[in-house]
Amino acid sequence: MKPLQTRAAARETAPPTPLISFRRIDLSYGDRRILEDINLDIGEGEFVSVVGPSGCGKTTLLRLIAGLARPTAGDVILDGQPVAAPSRKVAVVFQDYSKALLPWRTAAGNIALALSAMGVPKAEWPDRISALLATVGLAGDGDKLPRQMSGGMQQRLQIARCLAQEPRVLLMDEPFGALDAMTRQSLQDEVLRIASTRSVTVFFVTHELEEAIYLGDRVVGLYANPGRVAQCFDVGLAKPRDQLSTREDPHFLSLRHELFSFIKQA
Amino acid sequence: MALAAASGRRAPPRGAVVPLATIALLEVAAFLFLGREDYTFAAPHDIVLALGRALADGSLPAATAQTLSCVLAGLAVGFALGVMAGVALGLTPLLDRLTMVSVELLRPVPPAALIPLMLLIAGFGFQMETTIVAFTTLWPTLVLSRAAIRAVEPGLIEVARALEMGTLRRALAIVVPSALLRLFVAFRLTAGIALTVAVVVEVVANPRGLGYGMIVAAQTLHPETALAYLVWIGLLGWGLNALLSRIEARFLDRFR
Ligand SMILES: Nc1ncnc2c1ncn2[C@@H]1O[C@H](COP(=O)(O)OP(=O)(O)O)[C@@H](O)[C@H]1O
Ligand SMILES: [Mg+2]
C-alpha cells in the first residue's frame, strides 16, 4: 500500500500531534465519489502545497478544513476537535477575489468586516487596519474600492482580511492563478514571509508545480476520480527561499522533474 | 459617471426636440382647425393657462396632495410588505415553493378589478385607494426583492460563514448592501406604478384627487383643464422618477 509509505515519510516532518488531520475521509455528491479514503496529517506551522489534476477535489479538500463542506464518512480533526462548522481560527483566501470582497466597501472597510466579526473594539480598528494594509503592501490604499484596485491588490486585500482573523490556519485556493508572473512571484514571497513571521499553518492549493515546490515544506499530490492522496513529497529546500537561487537549486529541479512525471501519469 | 453627468447637463437637450415640435404643431393645428367652442380638444396655450388657473385657485395643489398621499401611503405599505415577503422567500426556498402558486395566482389580478371589492369594504376615500395602490405595488416589489436576495453573491455568503457571522450581522453587512441597488430600482419602478394606479382608481371610482379632477373637467366640458391635469400628472410621474434616479446615481453608485 503506497499511501502508508508516504504517510510514514510525512511523519518525519510533521510534529507528533498534527494540527490538522484527515481521518479516513470519504466524500460523495449524490452517486459521485469525489474524495476517497483521504488520510493526511498536517503539522502546526507546516506549509503544505496541494497539486493534482483539475477536478480531482483540491478545493473540496480545502473546504473540508474550512468547515464549508462535510465529509460523507470520516473526520477532519482540527486542533484535537472534529471540524463541524466554520471557525475564525481558519481563514480562507478564496480563489476568486472578485467574489470574496465587498465591492461597496473600501479596502479598509473590507478588513473592518473581519475585525467586527472578531469583536475587536472599534477604537482599535484604524491602527489594526493600517498595520494589516502595510503587511500586504497596501499602505495608503485603504480608501480605494476593490474595483479601483488591480487583481494583485485585491488578492493582497483578501489576504489582509484573512490575517485580521489572526488565524492558526490559512487556506489558500489557487490564490495567484489569475495574476501575472511578476505579481505572482512577489505575492509568493509575501505569503512565505507572513507564514513564517506569524507561524501560521498554510494549506495551499495550486496547479503550478513550481509554485507548489517553491512555497511548500511538503507537496501533496492527488489522483483524480475519485480524489485520493497519491504521493507526498518532502521539499527540504533551505529557508528563506529565494526566487532565483531556490529555483536553480539542483534539489528543486529534481523535485520538479519528479512532480512533472507524477502529474503526467496522474 | 461624473463625465457623463456633466456632459449630459451641458449638451443641448436633444430629448426636448420632439415634444417641443409636437407642441408647436398642435398649436398651429388648433389655430387652423379648432372652432371657438370645442369641447374635445384645446390648444397648448389654453392648456397652459388652465394649468396656471388650477394652480392659482388651489384646486390642483389640493388634488395633488390627495393623490400623492394615497400614492405614498400605498407605496409605503406595499413596498414594505413586498420587501419583507420577497426577502423571506428569497432566503427560504421551502417557503418559496409553498407560496409559489398563491403568489402566481394573486399577482396578475388587475388593480381595477379590486375597485368594486374595495368599495364594498371601505367605501370611497383615502383607505380604499391606498389599499389598491398597496396591493398593486406589493407584487412587483415581492418579485424584484426575491430576485435581489437570490442575486447576492454566494462567495460573499461563504465569507460570512467563514467569519462565523451571525444572521443579523450577515444580513446587515452583506445581504442588505448587496441587494440595496436592486431594491431601490424596485422602489423607483413601483413608485411609477403607484401613481398610475392611484389616478386610475380616481378616474374610475374615487371622487378625489387628480384623476377625479380630470373627470370632472371633462364632464363639465373643460377639455383644457382636463388636459392640464393630464400634463400635470405626466410631470409628477417624470419628476418622481427623475428625483429617485438622481438619488440612485448620487448615493448608490458603489453598490453597483
Ligand atoms: N457542491 C458540489 N456538488 C456536486 N459536485 C461537486 C460540488 N463541488 C464540487 N463538485 C465536484 O467535485 C469534483 C472536485 O471538485 P473540486 O474540489 O472543485 O476540484 P479541484 O479544486 O481539484 O479542481 C469536481 O468534479 C466537481 O464537479
Ligand atoms: Mg479548485
Side-chain angles (χ1 to χ4, degrees), chain B residues 20-103:
Chain B
L20 287 178
T22 311
I23 290 171
L25 257 169
L26 288 174
E27 194 65 62
V28 171
F31 179 76
L32 291 179
F33 305 116
L34 227 52
R36 286 225 28 88
E37 299 284 300
D38 193 294
Y39 302 119
T40 55
F41 195 69
H45 73 270
D46 281 330
I47 298 173
V48 173
L49 290 176
L51 188 62
R53 276 197 306 275
L55 279 170
D57 70 13
S59 57
L60 190 57
T64 305
Q66 286 180 336
T67 300
L68 282 188
S69 62
C70 287
V71 167
L72 294 180
L75 188 58
V77 173
F79 189 77
L81 291 177
V83 165
M84 284 192 269
V87 168
L89 297 187
L91 291 176
T92 41
L94 177 67
L95 197 62
D96 190 35
R97 256 175 281 131
L98 287 175
T99 55
M100 176 128 66
V101 174
S102 331
V103 169

Side-chain angles (χ1 to χ4, degrees), chain A residues 27 29-30 32-35 52-63 95 173-174 205 222 225:
Chain A
L27 189 146
Y29 286 122
R32 246 194 91 203
R33 173 142 290 201
I34 308 295
L35 296 173
S54 148
C56 71
K58 304 182 291 293
T59 297
T60 308
L61 214 50
L62 179 145
R63 290 169 59 81
Q95 182 169 8
D173 191 0
E174 306 194 20
V205 172
L222 301 181
N225 297 315

Side-chain angles (χ1 to χ4, degrees), chain A residues 63 67-68 86-88 90 94 99-105 113-114 116-117 145 147 161 165, chain B residues 153-156 158-165 169 172-175 177-178 253-256:
Chain A
R63 290 169 59 81
L68 293 169
S87 151
R88 286 188 295 255
V90 179
F94 290 96
K99 291 179 177 162
L101 295 169
L102 306 182
W104 58 87
R105 286 204 189 189
L113 182 78
S116 120
L145 290 171
R147 79 181 62 143
R161 187 186 61 205
Q165 285 176 244
Chain B
E153 172 54 50
L156 294 182
E158 296 229 303
V159 169
R161 287 179 66 198
L163 284 169
E164 295 184 74
M165 292 167 72
R169 197 189 289 273
L172 293 180
I174 291 180
V175 178
S178 285
D253 200 39
R254 66 164 53 186
F255 295 95
R256 208 162 289 283

Side-chain angles (χ1 to χ4, degrees), chain A residues 191-208:
Chain A
V191 164
L192 280 177
R193 179 176 52 76
I194 288 164
S196 73
T197 54
R198 303 197 171 218
S199 63
V200 63
T201 306
V202 184
F203 186 90
F204 191 101
V205 172
T206 178
H207 58 252
E208 280 270 311

